[in-house]
Amino acid sequence: MTSIVTGSVADRGRATYDLGATAIFASKSDPRFHYCLYVPPAVGEGAQVDLLVAVHGTGRTSFLGFRDAFAEFGRWNDCAILCPVFPMGVLGDDARSGYKYMIEGDIRYDQVLLAIVEEVVAKYRQDWTRFAMFGFSGGGHFTHRFAILHPDRLWAASIGAPGSVTLLDPTRDWWVGIRDLPEKFGITFDAAALAKVPVQMIVGDADLETWEITHAQDSTHWMSGANDAGQTRPERLRTLCRSFEEAGVRVRFDLLPGVAHERDAVLDPVKDFLAQALKERRNASR
């Protein structure tokens, strides 16, 4: 593990850049990708805390908003907040959405995230073998697909308003289904592990615009069945909910009245869900 150097100058630097609302860091495993955190005071006192990974949407700017919006939650629930940044056009092609589908060229975004987690585990001397994940819009894409691939790494997953969904359909290939997970990812879907993860799915009932989520046949991520889960985000998330429930997953489905595609409007019920999941997790470990 990386040691945290002691001494007045080092302690001051650590307090300024590594605790509370941190600086933005490049990933040591792949410096194309970055992250920041909120680290609660308990970590500075040597305590063990839990971890929430909050994943940005297509605009990427929400990563700082998530860090700051969850800071109070993290402080009072002894939970660090990790916000990764997956830049647009990382392959030099201006592509917006590669991270949402977990694989882009030779990049495996699930592995990028896990490498960042291991980096902060070493830095803060924490046991973050399992963590929670929340994502909205593009982050909702990432969160539910990460849960499908790595349910054993999660103690909760909150999936906010993804534009497209991967169903637990063994008759269709990724990303519409999961038939070819072993060939594409070297992973066999573990329904029993996913069923142990508390899941929230959340979307506004006025989140009805389809211009960005309808897959045209000449689009990058087009494949047969790309639009079959529904026309709007609420319809597609309902379809995902049914797919997860049929696999034995306990899903809390929140349809928020009068809410459009508004990230900040979902945060309070997301925090409620995560606080309850955290309480259950800690009670079970006693």
Side-chain angles (χ1 to χ4, degrees):
M1 287 189 175
T2 302
S3 63
I4 300 176
V5 180
T6 58
S8 59
V9 174
D11 287 347
R12 197 173 209 180
R14 180 180 182 233
T16 302
Y17 300 113
D18 295 336
L19 298 175
T22 74
I24 299 172
F25 300 97
S27 170
K28 292 180 180 179
S29 64
D30 189 335
R32 292 176 296 180
F33 304 104
H34 308 95
Y35 64 91
C36 66
L37 305 101
Y38 172 77
V39 181
V43 172
E45 299 163 3
Q48 292 290 306
V49 304
D50 285 284
L51 177 67
L52 167 65
V53 176
V55 185
H56 60 70
T58 307
R60 274 73 174 175
T61 54
S62 61
F63 81 99
L64 282 174
F66 280 167
R67 193 266 308 275
D68 297 341
F70 280 101
E72 184 177 16
F73 174 90
R75 179 179 179 88
W76 299 113
N77 289 280
D78 288 334
C79 189
I81 315 300
L82 169 63
C83 301
V85 188
F86 305 123
M88 193 178 292
V90 72
L91 296 179
D93 55 3
D94 295 327
R96 300 188 187 107
S97 299
Y99 80 102
K100 302 174 189 178
Y101 297 90
M102 286 295 168
I103 191 165
E104 182 179 26
D106 63 349
I107 301 170
R108 280 275 303 274
Y109 285 96
D110 58 325
Q111 294 178 346
V112 171
L113 185 277
L114 288 171
I116 291 173
V117 170
E118 291 309 305
E119 183 176 327
V120 296
V121 161
K123 182 173 186 176
Y124 295 101
R125 300 172 182 169
Q126 297 289 317
D127 178 7
W128 288 332
T129 305
R130 298 178 70 208
F131 46 88
M133 185 175 289
F134 163 65
F136 182 81
S137 194
H141 277 256
F142 187 95
T143 298
H144 84 276
R145 295 190 177 106
F146 187 92
I148 291 169
L149 294 175
H150 302 284
D152 59 310
R153 297 303 307 267
L154 297 176
W155 54 260
S158 178
I159 301 160
S164 297
V165 296
T166 295
L167 305 181
L168 305 179
D169 185 345
T171 70
R172 296 185 177 188
D173 288 340
W174 190 268
W175 58 266
V176 171
I178 60 171
R179 176 170 54 192
D180 60 343
L181 288 192
E183 294 79 17
K184 189 171 287 290
F185 294 100
I187 290 172
T188 300
F189 173 61
D190 189 341
L194 184 59
K196 295 177 183 177
V197 180
V199 172
Q200 177 188 43
M201 299 185 184
I202 186 165
V203 67
D205 69 358
D207 194 348
L208 302 177
E209 290 199 20
T210 61
W211 68 270
E212 194 173 18
I213 69 171
T214 301
H215 293 272
Q217 291 194 26
D218 60 351
S219 62
T220 302
H221 297 286
W222 163 260
M223 60 184 299
S224 178
N227 299 306
D228 287 359
Q231 292 186 324
T232 65
R233 285 184 171 90
E235 289 175 1
R236 292 182 178 186
L237 199 58
R238 278 287 188 194
T239 303
L240 182 67
C241 180
R242 288 193 295 269
S243 180
F244 272 44
E245 288 178 335
E246 288 168 2
V249 181
R250 176 174 53 128
V251 179
R252 168 178 157 175
F253 192 94
D254 289 321
L255 185 65
L256 304 183
V259 173
H261 200 57
E262 304 168 54
R263 180 192 70 233
D264 292 347
V266 311
L267 293 183
D268 282 346
V270 168
K271 292 174 187 177
D272 289 343
F273 165 77
L274 291 171
Q276 181 61 35
L278 192 55
K279 180 180 178 180
E280 292 174 3
R281 167 176 167 76
R282 289 173 176 169
N283 286 342
S285 66
R286 289 177 181 171

